[in-house]
Amino acid sequence: MDDSTRRPDHRGTPSGPRVTRCAGRHTAVVRGTVAMEELRPFFDEAFRDLGRAVARGEIVPDGPALAVYQAEPGRTVALEVGFPVVHPVVPSGNIVPGRLPAGRVVELEHRGGYDGLGSAWERLRTWAREQGVVLGAPLWEVYETQPSPEADSGSMRTRLCWSVAD
């Protein structure tokens, strides 16, 4: 999303949940269907592959890393992990082209570690229901702060985006 698509179009505040409009984006991703307890190893392997492709110049990220969930996670989740890119990528190994959809989303910025993402998603769901907003799919996380072992979890920022069913 560019700055013009991150401003609320109605309801919400700049720091809280809000409805925004998302421009469609090409992505370079690694896809998988993963058990919830296997998410971390899947992310680690996917970002190793993506990092190698970036180093070789095969993909050029055009924004922070993201994870796109095709439906709400259950015991397993179908997801894509990668980066937005300017142009579609050519499939190479595990890396394939993807796309963030254009349209309305509800959005919330989570500040803190990844262990708080579940409650942040629930907060977003509750807010949408209270506003009469019907949620759809996909939903995604944008990792505004690059994770690192030295990072203070309190300074981490993750933007949560959930498609609105129109």
Side-chain angles (χ1 to χ4, degrees):
M1 283 191 243
D2 61 30
D3 288 335
S4 66
T5 61
R6 292 177 73 176
R7 285 187 227 120
D9 62 8
H10 72 287
R11 303 178 214 142
T13 63
S15 61
R18 59 199 171 269
V19 176
T20 66
R21 186 152 298 278
C22 181
R25 301 281 312 267
H26 295 288
T27 58
V29 297
V30 174
R31 287 191 181 117
T33 299
V34 182
M36 290 301 286
E37 60 272 10
E38 296 299 319
L39 272 179
R40 185 179 181 129
F42 178 80
F43 272 74
D44 290 347
E45 183 177 338
F47 281 120
R48 269 193 298 277
D49 290 348
L50 290 156
R52 288 183 199 115
V54 168
R56 291 189 303 265
E58 294 171 0
I59 63 172
V60 179
D62 187 36
L66 49 82
V68 181
Y69 302 91
Q70 301 309 314
E72 283 188 68
R75 292 181 54 208
T76 62
V77 61
L79 76 156
E80 300 176 347
V81 176
F83 296 96
V85 292
V86 175
H87 302 289
V89 297
V90 174
S92 174
N94 292 335
I95 300 169
V96 297
R99 183 137 180 98
L100 287 177
R104 292 187 321 137
V105 299
V106 291
E107 178 180 282
L108 172 68
E109 184 179 273
H110 168 69
R111 290 184 180 262
Y114 298 135
D115 58 342
L117 287 173
S119 60
W121 279 113
E122 188 55 38
R123 178 177 169 215
L124 190 56
R125 175 202 313 279
T126 299
W127 180 86
R129 184 178 35 230
E130 289 170 352
Q131 301 302 313
V133 176
V134 179
L135 298 172
L139 47 156
W140 62 93
E141 298 167 344
V142 179
Y143 306 109
E144 302 284 356
T145 305
Q146 183 174 350
S148 73
E150 311 81 37
D152 169 24
S153 65
S155 68
M156 296 175 69
R157 293 183 5 242
T158 306
R159 188 166 23 102
L160 310 181
C161 301
W162 201 327
S163 296
V164 172
D166 284 321

